[in-house]
Amino acid sequence: VGFELGDPDLSDLLDDVARCFNGHVPPNIALVPAGSADPAAALRANMHYGMTIVEFPAELGASGAVAEAASLLEELEVPKPATGNPPPGFQELHADFRASVAADGEDVARFELGDTSGWTPIQAGLDVPRAVAPVLSEFVQGDVPEGKVAVALLRGQGGEGKTTLLRRLAWKMAEDGCRVFWREAGAGLPDRYVPAEADEARAFFICDNAEELEHLPVLLRSLARNGAGKARFILAADEHEWDRSGLDHRIRVDSVVHDERLAGIDDAEANALADALERHDRLGDGRSRADALSALSSSDGVLLSRVCEAKSGTALADRVAAGVATLSSQPDSDLLKKAYLATAYVHSFGMSLGRAHLAALLGIPTDDLDARIVAPLGQALVSSGTSALRTPHPIVARHVLQ
């Protein structure tokens, strides 16, 4: 407690820990006041020591943040019945929650740029069925060998539609009467989870970015010994990050895993997506369904890039470049470009840029950030919580930096 991220003593401490563990630093978290962490120090801590930066409201104070963290850790240690509330960080997709998802034009616009953080596009039916979805659903709802836990694993490159598929699958299973818990961004897993005794009391945990779930093998081991079959998992992960995480062989000890790889779309999916773009009037001027289908059926680029070309006839990289070029004609153009590039750079590492840090980088008051930067950039930046910003998708971030 009390270290700054850039404190040399903290680096020495973590180096000592790494030596004790043969070069590996166990998972660790830094609690910092919102907007206070220097982006360079945060990146270094994340890349060198695997440190996760968690911001807390500055008014809470360090002692208050530590007290809340201690309470949360204590709560996570208490086994919870599958028929009770889900662990912290999970949203149950019950009927009231689904009914609360309202139409939001901004959510739709961000979705078309690759932002899959909201439920509105799913509620509005802007996605299309994927052939692998019923396979995953049937697997996790089927019979499970004694002493094992069912885990469906979906892997693929970023931009191939994993998150959208996962959201649609979660929504559909909830509509069908399943008890579905959706993992919110950044949430972890408890070390234990005790399912209810009733045979029908099943809980389906659906987790994106599964490479982040350090405690998953421990939880699966607990479930395999006590209540296997009552809690089921559907996971999605970037294939390269999943391989680097070392989780693959560890989760297979106590689970039966069904693997699927998402890479491109087949002819039926391409036709369904072309129909959906036409039906929802998402095709640009002069674009026909045939034009959209031709772009979607191409083997060039990930699905996100092909959808962009299907709608507008312009490649995603060219669309991003054109957006950057238009900033030159706006007031504060240099500040806008600097803000866009800085946010994209941080997001290319999978992190968001704190509003306070962005304001400090630009040399403007934080209170002026929305009016002078966020509003003029429009859909180019999206909020990540209440105190940080990012681009709609890491692929967009990489194109901004090219």
Side-chain angles (χ1 to χ4, degrees):
V1 177
F3 285 110
E4 297 287 339
L5 283 180
D7 192 327
D9 289 338
L10 176 61
S11 298
D12 290 343
L13 173 62
L14 293 173
D15 286 336
D16 289 341
V17 172
R19 281 190 286 271
C20 292
F21 287 88
N22 295 321
H24 172 69
V25 178
N28 56 94
I29 297 173
L31 296 173
V32 298
S36 67
D38 175 65
L43 281 172
R44 185 167 56 253
N46 178 265
M47 295 174 66
H48 286 245
Y49 304 114
M51 183 176 289
T52 301
I53 310 300
V54 177
E55 294 186 328
F56 61 85
E59 60 271 17
L60 183 62
S63 58
V66 171
E68 285 203 4
S71 298
L72 179 60
L73 290 172
E74 182 179 355
E75 183 180 354
L76 290 176
E77 282 297 314
V78 178
K80 297 174 176 61
T83 52
N85 292 326
F90 282 77
Q91 171 64 57
E92 182 175 357
L93 303 191
H94 48 66
D96 288 345
F97 172 79
R98 299 196 306 276
S100 73
V101 177
D104 187 327
E106 290 189 2
D107 264 1
V108 172
R110 288 193 293 266
F111 177 72
E112 294 188 344
L113 290 172
D115 180 20
T116 55
S117 62
W119 290 101
T120 295
I122 305 301
Q123 186 267 351
L126 297 182
D127 62 316
V128 298
R130 303 295 295 268
V132 72
V135 177
L136 300 175
S137 179
E138 290 172 11
F139 171 76
V140 294
Q141 295 184 66
D143 295 332
V144 181
E146 185 176 352
K148 295 289 186 179
V149 181
V151 176
L153 176 61
L154 180 67
R155 293 188 258 188
Q157 295 184 62
E160 286 290 1
K162 298 186 301 298
T163 302
T164 300
L165 188 158
L166 221 58
R167 284 188 181 274
R168 169 55 61 192
L169 183 56
W171 192 275
K172 177 67 167 59
M173 290 176 64
E175 285 183 327
D176 291 343
C178 296
R179 193 101 196 273
V180 177
F181 299 146
W182 174 269
R183 173 183 175 258
E184 300 291 358
L189 288 174
D191 289 337
R192 294 175 292 168
Y193 195 84
V194 179
E197 294 181 1
D199 289 339
E200 68 276 8
R202 293 180 179 176
F204 296 88
F205 292 85
I206 301 188
C207 308
D208 198 9
N209 299 315
E211 66 275 5
E212 301 172 355
L213 303 179
E214 291 281 348
H215 291 303
L216 181 58
V218 178
L219 178 58
L220 293 175
R221 185 174 305 118
S222 172
L223 288 168
R225 295 173 181 173
N226 178 21
K230 302 293 183 59
R232 317 286 181 96
F233 294 82
I234 303 179
L235 313 175
D238 179 279
E239 55 188 350
H240 302 302
E241 294 298 329
W242 180 256
D243 290 341
R244 282 194 286 267
S245 74
L247 288 170
D248 193 73
H249 70 280
R250 295 170 60 200
I251 70 170
R252 294 174 188 271
V253 175
D254 299 294
S255 64
V256 53
V257 179
H258 179 86
D259 266 304
E260 291 285 351
R261 184 173 184 272
L262 200 62
I265 54 178
D266 60 25
D267 291 342
E269 291 169 331
N271 275 282
L273 187 48
D275 288 341
L277 292 173
E278 184 178 43
R279 182 171 63 254
H280 292 288
D281 196 26
R282 311 314 296 179
L283 297 178
D285 292 341
R287 297 290 289 173
S288 68
R289 181 193 180 283
D291 295 331
L293 181 60
S294 176
L296 293 168
S297 301
S298 169
S299 59
D300 296 333
V302 296
L303 181 60
L304 175 61
S305 300
R306 280 184 271 167
V307 170
C308 177
E309 188 163 357
K311 291 185 298 186
S312 64
T314 304
L316 180 61
D318 294 336
R319 180 176 176 177
V320 172
V324 173
T326 61
L327 298 179
S328 298
S329 62
Q330 295 196 42
D332 286 333
S333 61
D334 289 341
L335 281 180
L336 292 175
K337 290 179 181 178
K338 190 174 183 179
Y340 199 14
L341 288 170
T343 307
Y345 178 74
V346 172
H347 194 203
S348 69
F349 289 93
M351 298 186 294
S352 302
L353 181 58
R355 286 172 172 264
H357 276 109
L358 180 57
L361 175 68
L362 301 177
I364 64 175
T366 304
D367 290 343
D368 292 350
L369 197 63
D370 281 333
R372 294 184 61 182
I373 303 297
V374 178
L377 284 173
Q379 301 296 336
L381 296 184
V382 298
S383 293
S384 180
T386 59
S387 60
L389 298 165
R390 57 177 177 79
T391 63
H393 195 281
I395 289 179
V396 173
R398 290 195 288 270
H399 286 319
V400 171
L401 299 173
Q402 289 177 350

PDB file of all heavy atoms in Angstrom, residues 27-55:
ATOM      1  N   PRO A  27      -0.527 -13.079 -10.818  1.00  0.00           N
ATOM      2  CA  PRO A  27      -1.491 -12.020 -11.127  1.00  0.00           C
ATOM      3  C   PRO A  27      -1.557 -10.994 -10.001  1.00  0.00           C
ATOM      4  O   PRO A  27      -1.603 -11.343  -8.826  1.00  0.00           O
ATOM      5  CB  PRO A  27      -2.822 -12.776 -11.246  1.00  0.00           C
ATOM      6  CG  PRO A  27      -2.423 -14.169 -11.629  1.00  0.00           C
ATOM      7  CD  PRO A  27      -1.114 -14.426 -10.939  1.00  0.00           C
ATOM      8  N   ASN A  28      -1.520  -9.711 -10.375  1.00  0.00           N
ATOM      9  CA  ASN A  28      -1.533  -8.655  -9.371  1.00  0.00           C
ATOM     10  C   ASN A  28      -2.346  -7.475  -9.882  1.00  0.00           C
ATOM     11  O   ASN A  28      -2.494  -7.280 -11.089  1.00  0.00           O
ATOM     12  CB  ASN A  28      -0.106  -8.230  -9.001  1.00  0.00           C
ATOM     13  CG  ASN A  28       0.694  -7.787 -10.214  1.00  0.00           C
ATOM     14  OD1 ASN A  28       0.738  -6.602 -10.524  1.00  0.00           O
ATOM     15  ND2 ASN A  28       1.321  -8.732 -10.933  1.00  0.00           N
ATOM     16  N   ILE A  29      -2.865  -6.711  -8.944  1.00  0.00           N
ATOM     17  CA  ILE A  29      -3.757  -5.594  -9.259  1.00  0.00           C
ATOM     18  C   ILE A  29      -3.254  -4.335  -8.564  1.00  0.00           C
ATOM     19  O   ILE A  29      -2.833  -4.388  -7.398  1.00  0.00           O
ATOM     20  CB  ILE A  29      -5.199  -5.894  -8.804  1.00  0.00           C
ATOM     21  CG1 ILE A  29      -5.763  -7.106  -9.569  1.00  0.00           C
ATOM     22  CG2 ILE A  29      -6.115  -4.688  -8.987  1.00  0.00           C
ATOM     23  CD1 ILE A  29      -7.119  -7.560  -9.067  1.00  0.00           C
ATOM     24  N   ALA A  30      -3.290  -3.221  -9.275  1.00  0.00           N
ATOM     25  CA  ALA A  30      -2.956  -1.924  -8.684  1.00  0.00           C
ATOM     26  C   ALA A  30      -4.223  -1.092  -8.579  1.00  0.00           C
ATOM     27  O   ALA A  30      -4.908  -0.863  -9.582  1.00  0.00           O
ATOM     28  CB  ALA A  30      -1.917  -1.201  -9.538  1.00  0.00           C
ATOM     29  N   LEU A  31      -4.562  -0.666  -7.366  1.00  0.00           N
ATOM     30  CA  LEU A  31      -5.687   0.241  -7.147  1.00  0.00           C
ATOM     31  C   LEU A  31      -5.172   1.668  -7.206  1.00  0.00           C
ATOM     32  O   LEU A  31      -4.281   2.047  -6.435  1.00  0.00           O
ATOM     33  CB  LEU A  31      -6.337  -0.027  -5.788  1.00  0.00           C
ATOM     34  CG  LEU A  31      -6.985  -1.401  -5.584  1.00  0.00           C
ATOM     35  CD1 LEU A  31      -7.422  -1.560  -4.138  1.00  0.00           C
ATOM     36  CD2 LEU A  31      -8.165  -1.569  -6.513  1.00  0.00           C
ATOM     37  N   VAL A  32      -5.703   2.470  -8.146  1.00  0.00           N
ATOM     38  CA  VAL A  32      -5.226   3.841  -8.310  1.00  0.00           C
ATOM     39  C   VAL A  32      -6.428   4.777  -8.395  1.00  0.00           C
ATOM     40  O   VAL A  32      -7.490   4.395  -8.901  1.00  0.00           O
ATOM     41  CB  VAL A  32      -4.359   3.993  -9.577  1.00  0.00           C
ATOM     42  CG1 VAL A  32      -3.116   3.113  -9.497  1.00  0.00           C
ATOM     43  CG2 VAL A  32      -5.160   3.646 -10.828  1.00  0.00           C
ATOM     44  N   PRO A  33      -6.296   6.011  -7.910  1.00  0.00           N
ATOM     45  CA  PRO A  33      -7.389   6.982  -8.067  1.00  0.00           C
ATOM     46  C   PRO A  33      -7.688   7.212  -9.546  1.00  0.00           C
ATOM     47  O   PRO A  33      -6.775   7.203 -10.377  1.00  0.00           O
ATOM     48  CB  PRO A  33      -6.835   8.252  -7.401  1.00  0.00           C
ATOM     49  CG  PRO A  33      -5.760   7.768  -6.478  1.00  0.00           C
ATOM     50  CD  PRO A  33      -5.160   6.574  -7.160  1.00  0.00           C
ATOM     51  N   ALA A  34      -8.946   7.379  -9.884  1.00  0.00           N
ATOM     52  CA  ALA A  34      -9.366   7.544 -11.279  1.00  0.00           C
ATOM     53  C   ALA A  34      -8.601   8.679 -11.947  1.00  0.00           C
ATOM     54  O   ALA A  34      -8.501   9.783 -11.417  1.00  0.00           O
ATOM     55  CB  ALA A  34     -10.866   7.813 -11.344  1.00  0.00           C
ATOM     56  N   GLY A  35      -8.012   8.364 -13.106  1.00  0.00           N
ATOM     57  CA  GLY A  35      -7.318   9.371 -13.885  1.00  0.00           C
ATOM     58  C   GLY A  35      -5.947   9.754 -13.388  1.00  0.00           C
ATOM     59  O   GLY A  35      -5.323  10.663 -13.934  1.00  0.00           O
ATOM     60  N   SER A  36      -5.435   9.050 -12.365  1.00  0.00           N
ATOM     61  CA  SER A  36      -4.154   9.463 -11.776  1.00  0.00           C
ATOM     62  C   SER A  36      -2.957   8.716 -12.329  1.00  0.00           C
ATOM     63  O   SER A  36      -1.827   9.188 -12.235  1.00  0.00           O
ATOM     64  CB  SER A  36      -4.202   9.275 -10.252  1.00  0.00           C
ATOM     65  OG  SER A  36      -4.271   7.893  -9.927  1.00  0.00           O
ATOM     66  N   ALA A  37      -3.180   7.538 -12.902  1.00  0.00           N
ATOM     67  CA  ALA A  37      -2.049   6.715 -13.344  1.00  0.00           C
ATOM     68  C   ALA A  37      -1.445   7.274 -14.623  1.00  0.00           C
ATOM     69  O   ALA A  37      -2.155   7.584 -15.583  1.00  0.00           O
ATOM     70  CB  ALA A  37      -2.514   5.275 -13.575  1.00  0.00           C
ATOM     71  N   ASP A  38      -0.133   7.422 -14.631  1.00  0.00           N
ATOM     72  CA  ASP A  38       0.562   7.851 -15.838  1.00  0.00           C
ATOM     73  C   ASP A  38       0.465   6.737 -16.877  1.00  0.00           C
ATOM     74  O   ASP A  38       0.813   5.585 -16.586  1.00  0.00           O
ATOM     75  CB  ASP A  38       2.031   8.137 -15.518  1.00  0.00           C
ATOM     76  CG  ASP A  38       2.825   8.463 -16.762  1.00  0.00           C
ATOM     77  OD1 ASP A  38       2.538   9.496 -17.392  1.00  0.00           O
ATOM     78  OD2 ASP A  38       3.708   7.668 -17.122  1.00  0.00           O
ATOM     79  N   PRO A  39      -0.029   7.021 -18.106  1.00  0.00           N
ATOM     80  CA  PRO A  39      -0.202   5.953 -19.095  1.00  0.00           C
ATOM     81  C   PRO A  39       1.073   5.165 -19.371  1.00  0.00           C
ATOM     82  O   PRO A  39       1.041   3.948 -19.530  1.00  0.00           O
ATOM     83  CB  PRO A  39      -0.672   6.711 -20.338  1.00  0.00           C
ATOM     84  CG  PRO A  39      -1.349   7.936 -19.797  1.00  0.00           C
ATOM     85  CD  PRO A  39      -0.541   8.308 -18.583  1.00  0.00           C
ATOM     86  N   ALA A  40       2.219   5.850 -19.427  1.00  0.00           N
ATOM     87  CA  ALA A  40       3.474   5.151 -19.699  1.00  0.00           C
ATOM     88  C   ALA A  40       3.810   4.185 -18.563  1.00  0.00           C
ATOM     89  O   ALA A  40       4.203   3.041 -18.803  1.00  0.00           O
ATOM     90  CB  ALA A  40       4.610   6.163 -19.888  1.00  0.00           C
ATOM     91  N   ALA A  41       3.630   4.634 -17.318  1.00  0.00           N
ATOM     92  CA  ALA A  41       3.895   3.761 -16.171  1.00  0.00           C
ATOM     93  C   ALA A  41       2.915   2.599 -16.133  1.00  0.00           C
ATOM     94  O   ALA A  41       3.279   1.463 -15.806  1.00  0.00           O
ATOM     95  CB  ALA A  41       3.819   4.569 -14.863  1.00  0.00           C
ATOM     96  N   ALA A  42       1.641   2.867 -16.497  1.00  0.00           N
ATOM     97  CA  ALA A  42       0.639   1.805 -16.505  1.00  0.00           C
ATOM     98  C   ALA A  42       0.959   0.761 -17.561  1.00  0.00           C
ATOM     99  O   ALA A  42       0.845  -0.452 -17.319  1.00  0.00           O
ATOM    100  CB  ALA A  42      -0.748   2.408 -16.736  1.00  0.00           C
ATOM    101  N   LEU A  43       1.352   1.206 -18.750  1.00  0.00           N
ATOM    102  CA  LEU A  43       1.720   0.268 -19.805  1.00  0.00           C
ATOM    103  C   LEU A  43       2.913  -0.584 -19.399  1.00  0.00           C
ATOM    104  O   LEU A  43       2.948  -1.801 -19.625  1.00  0.00           O
ATOM    105  CB  LEU A  43       2.041   1.033 -21.095  1.00  0.00           C
ATOM    106  CG  LEU A  43       0.859   1.511 -21.933  1.00  0.00           C
ATOM    107  CD1 LEU A  43       1.341   2.401 -23.059  1.00  0.00           C
ATOM    108  CD2 LEU A  43       0.091   0.321 -22.490  1.00  0.00           C
ATOM    109  N   ARG A  44       3.918   0.063 -18.800  1.00  0.00           N
ATOM    110  CA  ARG A  44       5.112  -0.661 -18.374  1.00  0.00           C
ATOM    111  C   ARG A  44       4.772  -1.697 -17.309  1.00  0.00           C
ATOM    112  O   ARG A  44       5.221  -2.849 -17.361  1.00  0.00           O
ATOM    113  CB  ARG A  44       6.156   0.326 -17.843  1.00  0.00           C
ATOM    114  CG  ARG A  44       7.493  -0.324 -17.491  1.00  0.00           C
ATOM    115  CD  ARG A  44       8.568   0.719 -17.269  1.00  0.00           C
ATOM    116  NE  ARG A  44       8.201   1.689 -16.253  1.00  0.00           N
ATOM    117  CZ  ARG A  44       7.857   2.948 -16.510  1.00  0.00           C
ATOM    118  NH1 ARG A  44       7.828   3.391 -17.759  1.00  0.00           N
ATOM    119  NH2 ARG A  44       7.536   3.776 -15.530  1.00  0.00           N
ATOM    120  N   ALA A  45       3.940  -1.312 -16.341  1.00  0.00           N
ATOM    121  CA  ALA A  45       3.553  -2.241 -15.280  1.00  0.00           C
ATOM    122  C   ALA A  45       2.765  -3.419 -15.849  1.00  0.00           C
ATOM    123  O   ALA A  45       2.932  -4.561 -15.420  1.00  0.00           O
ATOM    124  CB  ALA A  45       2.724  -1.511 -14.223  1.00  0.00           C
ATOM    125  N   ASN A  46       1.901  -3.136 -16.833  1.00  0.00           N
ATOM    126  CA  ASN A  46       1.105  -4.200 -17.434  1.00  0.00           C
ATOM    127  C   ASN A  46       1.960  -5.139 -18.261  1.00  0.00           C
ATOM    128  O   ASN A  46       1.828  -6.366 -18.187  1.00  0.00           O
ATOM    129  CB  ASN A  46      -0.004  -3.580 -18.298  1.00  0.00           C
ATOM    130  CG  ASN A  46      -0.846  -4.632 -18.989  1.00  0.00           C
ATOM    131  OD1 ASN A  46      -0.585  -4.972 -20.147  1.00  0.00           O
ATOM    132  ND2 ASN A  46      -1.851  -5.143 -18.313  1.00  0.00           N
ATOM    133  N   MET A  47       2.855  -4.583 -19.063  1.00  0.00           N
ATOM    134  CA  MET A  47       3.652  -5.405 -19.983  1.00  0.00           C
ATOM    135  C   MET A  47       4.751  -6.176 -19.257  1.00  0.00           C
ATOM    136  O   MET A  47       5.028  -7.328 -19.573  1.00  0.00           O
ATOM    137  CB  MET A  47       4.251  -4.522 -21.083  1.00  0.00           C
ATOM    138  CG  MET A  47       3.201  -3.886 -21.995  1.00  0.00           C
ATOM    139  SD  MET A  47       3.915  -2.712 -23.176  1.00  0.00           S
ATOM    140  CE  MET A  47       4.911  -3.824 -24.185  1.00  0.00           C
ATOM    141  N   HIS A  48       5.368  -5.558 -18.261  1.00  0.00           N
ATOM    142  CA  HIS A  48       6.498  -6.196 -17.593  1.00  0.00           C
ATOM    143  C   HIS A  48       6.071  -7.102 -16.449  1.00  0.00           C
ATOM    144  O   HIS A  48       6.709  -8.119 -16.184  1.00  0.00           O
ATOM    145  CB  HIS A  48       7.469  -5.128 -17.057  1.00  0.00           C
ATOM    146  CG  HIS A  48       8.272  -4.462 -18.121  1.00  0.00           C
ATOM    147  ND1 HIS A  48       9.640  -4.566 -18.225  1.00  0.00           N
ATOM    148  CD2 HIS A  48       7.903  -3.686 -19.160  1.00  0.00           C
ATOM    149  CE1 HIS A  48      10.078  -3.878 -19.261  1.00  0.00           C
ATOM    150  NE2 HIS A  48       9.031  -3.324 -19.845  1.00  0.00           N
ATOM    151  N   TYR A  49       4.995  -6.726 -15.760  1.00  0.00           N
ATOM    152  CA  TYR A  49       4.630  -7.465 -14.548  1.00  0.00           C
ATOM    153  C   TYR A  49       3.205  -8.030 -14.589  1.00  0.00           C
ATOM    154  O   TYR A  49       2.732  -8.573 -13.596  1.00  0.00           O
ATOM    155  CB  TYR A  49       4.778  -6.559 -13.320  1.00  0.00           C
ATOM    156  CG  TYR A  49       6.159  -5.967 -13.168  1.00  0.00           C
ATOM    157  CD1 TYR A  49       6.366  -4.601 -13.294  1.00  0.00           C
ATOM    158  CD2 TYR A  49       7.266  -6.785 -12.922  1.00  0.00           C
ATOM    159  CE1 TYR A  49       7.637  -4.045 -13.165  1.00  0.00           C
ATOM    160  CE2 TYR A  49       8.535  -6.239 -12.794  1.00  0.00           C
ATOM    161  CZ  TYR A  49       8.711  -4.873 -12.917  1.00  0.00           C
ATOM    162  OH  TYR A  49       9.970  -4.336 -12.788  1.00  0.00           O
ATOM    163  N   GLY A  50       2.513  -7.900 -15.732  1.00  0.00           N
ATOM    164  CA  GLY A  50       1.158  -8.417 -15.836  1.00  0.00           C
ATOM    165  C   GLY A  50       0.187  -7.744 -14.887  1.00  0.00           C
ATOM    166  O   GLY A  50      -0.804  -8.342 -14.469  1.00  0.00           O
ATOM    167  N   MET A  51       0.449  -6.492 -14.550  1.00  0.00           N
ATOM    168  CA  MET A  51      -0.361  -5.790 -13.557  1.00  0.00           C
ATOM    169  C   MET A  51      -1.647  -5.261 -14.180  1.00  0.00           C
ATOM    170  O   MET A  51      -1.634  -4.679 -15.261  1.00  0.00           O
ATOM    171  CB  MET A  51       0.433  -4.631 -12.956  1.00  0.00           C
ATOM    172  CG  MET A  51      -0.296  -3.867 -11.853  1.00  0.00           C
ATOM    173  SD  MET A  51       0.774  -2.604 -11.132  1.00  0.00           S
ATOM    174  CE  MET A  51       1.956  -3.622 -10.233  1.00  0.00           C
ATOM    175  N   THR A  52      -2.762  -5.502 -13.510  1.00  0.00           N
ATOM    176  CA  THR A  52      -4.051  -4.960 -13.925  1.00  0.00           C
ATOM    177  C   THR A  52      -4.325  -3.672 -13.154  1.00  0.00           C
ATOM    178  O   THR A  52      -4.274  -3.666 -11.923  1.00  0.00           O
ATOM    179  CB  THR A  52      -5.184  -5.968 -13.655  1.00  0.00           C
ATOM    180  OG1 THR A  52      -4.911  -7.180 -14.382  1.00  0.00           O
ATOM    181  CG2 THR A  52      -6.524  -5.411 -14.102  1.00  0.00           C
ATOM    182  N   ILE A  53      -4.580  -2.589 -13.881  1.00  0.00           N
ATOM    183  CA  ILE A  53      -4.833  -1.301 -13.252  1.00  0.00           C
ATOM    184  C   ILE A  53      -6.335  -1.150 -13.029  1.00  0.00           C
ATOM    185  O   ILE A  53      -7.128  -1.222 -13.975  1.00  0.00           O
ATOM    186  CB  ILE A  53      -4.327  -0.141 -14.128  1.00  0.00           C
ATOM    187  CG1 ILE A  53      -2.872  -0.390 -14.568  1.00  0.00           C
ATOM    188  CG2 ILE A  53      -4.454   1.181 -13.392  1.00  0.00           C
ATOM    189  CD1 ILE A  53      -1.890  -0.512 -13.440  1.00  0.00           C
ATOM    190  N   VAL A  54      -6.747  -0.961 -11.781  1.00  0.00           N
ATOM    191  CA  VAL A  54      -8.156  -0.775 -11.435  1.00  0.00           C
ATOM    192  C   VAL A  54      -8.312   0.602 -10.801  1.00  0.00           C
ATOM    193  O   VAL A  54      -7.672   0.892  -9.785  1.00  0.00           O
ATOM    194  CB  VAL A  54      -8.652  -1.865 -10.467  1.00  0.00           C
ATOM    195  CG1 VAL A  54     -10.103  -1.596 -10.065  1.00  0.00           C
ATOM    196  CG2 VAL A  54      -8.520  -3.236 -11.102  1.00  0.00           C
ATOM    197  N   GLU A  55      -9.139   1.450 -11.428  1.00  0.00           N
ATOM    198  CA  GLU A  55      -9.326   2.804 -10.917  1.00  0.00           C
ATOM    199  C   GLU A  55     -10.478   2.848  -9.915  1.00  0.00           C
ATOM    200  O   GLU A  55     -11.458   2.127 -10.056  1.00  0.00           O
ATOM    201  CB  GLU A  55      -9.596   3.765 -12.064  1.00  0.00           C
ATOM    202  CG  GLU A  55      -8.413   3.928 -13.017  1.00  0.00           C
ATOM    203  CD  GLU A  55      -8.656   5.000 -14.063  1.00  0.00           C
ATOM    204  OE1 GLU A  55      -9.832   5.163 -14.450  1.00  0.00           O
ATOM    205  OE2 GLU A  55      -7.688   5.665 -14.475  1.00  0.00           O
TER     206      GLU A  55
END
